[in-house]
Structures are given as C-alpha cells and as structure tokens.
Amino acid sequence: MTRPQTALAAPPALAGVAGAHNAVGPAGRSGLTVRPRLLDAYSCAGAGARGYIAAGFDVTGVDLAPQPRYPGRHIVGNALDLDPQWIADNFDAAHY
C-alpha cells in the first residue's frame, strides 16, 4: 500500500498534520471539543455521512466518482489504495 497520491491527497484540514482533529465549541481543558474523525469509504453521495455528521462526527468520504453534493470533505479515488497507516493517523473510525 502507498500513501495517497495527487488524486488521493489528504484533505486540506489534514494535510501535514498527523492526528489532526476539527475542533468545535467550548469545553474541556483546551477550551475546545474534539469531534471524532470518520473515514466514509465507498461513500457515494453521502447518505450515511449525513447521519454521522448529525451525531457529531467529522466525516471525510472516499469514492471513485466525484460527489459534488457530499456533505463533508471528499476524496476522489479508490479506498483500497489508501495507506492503512495514513488512515490510522488521521481517523478514529471507518465506515465501509
């Protein structure tokens, strides 16, 4: 397995930041609440992602086809080509 190439580069919010989280709202020691990060593999248009987002997840989808209406960040490419270590470093959970 290789790390994502140009078409599968990490979304801007994750690029170069191992273990980056999106922070929202006040709470906790740092003053921010951290949302769990979810990789939505084979995401299609994002029907499943909408539920995860409503539940408080920070969702990034991956699909072979562009999904212009996807409700979160979206990577165009094959989920099987993503480096397992990159997934582990950048996400707390995955939906396949």
Side-chain angles (χ1 to χ4, degrees):
M1 293 278 172
T2 59
R3 294 203 180 271
Q5 299 300 315
T6 304
L8 294 177
L14 300 176
V17 183
H21 282 64
N22 260 357
V24 295
R29 194 175 66 175
S30 67
L32 298 173
T33 300
V34 178
R35 297 188 301 166
R37 304 155 301 165
L38 179 98
L39 176 66
D40 182 12
Y42 317 107
S43 64
C44 297
R50 285 177 180 79
Y52 283 112
I53 290 169
F57 284 81
D58 178 21
V59 179
T60 300
V62 179
D63 201 284
L64 291 172
Q67 302 294 335
R69 294 186 178 159
Y70 192 79
R73 283 183 303 275
H74 193 264
I75 300 170
V76 177
N78 189 338
L80 294 175
D81 291 338
L82 294 175
D83 177 37
Q85 188 59 53
W86 180 81
I87 294 171
D89 290 345
N90 290 286
F91 298 96
D92 302 306
H95 172 109
Y96 288 90

